[in-house]
Amino acid sequence: DKTFFIAAVLAMKHPRGVVFAGALGALALMTLLSAAAGFALPNLLPRVYTHYASVVLFLVFGVKLLKDAREMESGGGPSDELEEVEAELNLADKKKNPDIESESAASAGKG
């Protein structure tokens, strides 16, 4: 889930409590909005329309999920995304503090 990676990256750069509160608040807000939409739409639209709309959405997201799963079997996946995020963070850290590279090379030589 990309939301997890975004929260992890934010937690590395900002206070963890603030990131956790923001992620939890966003989840609560999305839950409330989804529940409200799930209650309101069937009451506003005829039941037949909401039934067929739910069937179409279920099929579309099911096919998308199967497509994503097939792509993950061929070598892609969360580990690739994590490596990309780690590389970007390392690059950003090196730009902020150029001494990091020389310190890590010096400590690697001592081991």
Side-chain angles (χ1 to χ4, degrees):
D1 186 23
K2 293 179 181 166
T3 307
F4 169 77
F5 291 117
I6 292 169
V9 169
L10 285 173
M12 290 179 197
K13 295 184 176 190
H14 302 286
R16 293 179 195 158
V18 172
V19 173
F20 178 73
L24 193 63
L27 178 63
L29 179 64
M30 286 303 299
T31 301
L32 290 174
L33 289 174
S34 298
F39 177 77
L41 286 179
N43 290 328
L44 296 174
L45 299 173
R47 193 174 189 97
V48 174
Y49 293 154
T50 56
H51 173 74
Y52 287 118
S54 65
V55 169
V56 169
L57 288 172
F58 184 80
L59 289 173
V60 167
F61 285 109
V63 169
K64 182 185 179 313
L65 184 63
L66 291 172
K67 181 182 170 223
D68 289 346
R70 178 172 284 181
E71 289 174 1
M72 285 180 66
E73 288 176 2
S74 65
S79 60
D80 292 340
E81 292 175 4
L82 181 59
E83 289 174 7
E84 182 180 333
V85 168
E86 287 176 344
E88 289 178 13
L89 287 173
N90 288 337
L91 182 62
D93 287 342
K94 286 179 186 177
K95 285 182 180 177
K96 286 182 185 177
N97 189 0
D99 297 333
I100 291 175
E101 187 174 324
S102 61
E103 291 173 5
S104 62
S107 63
K110 291 180 181 178

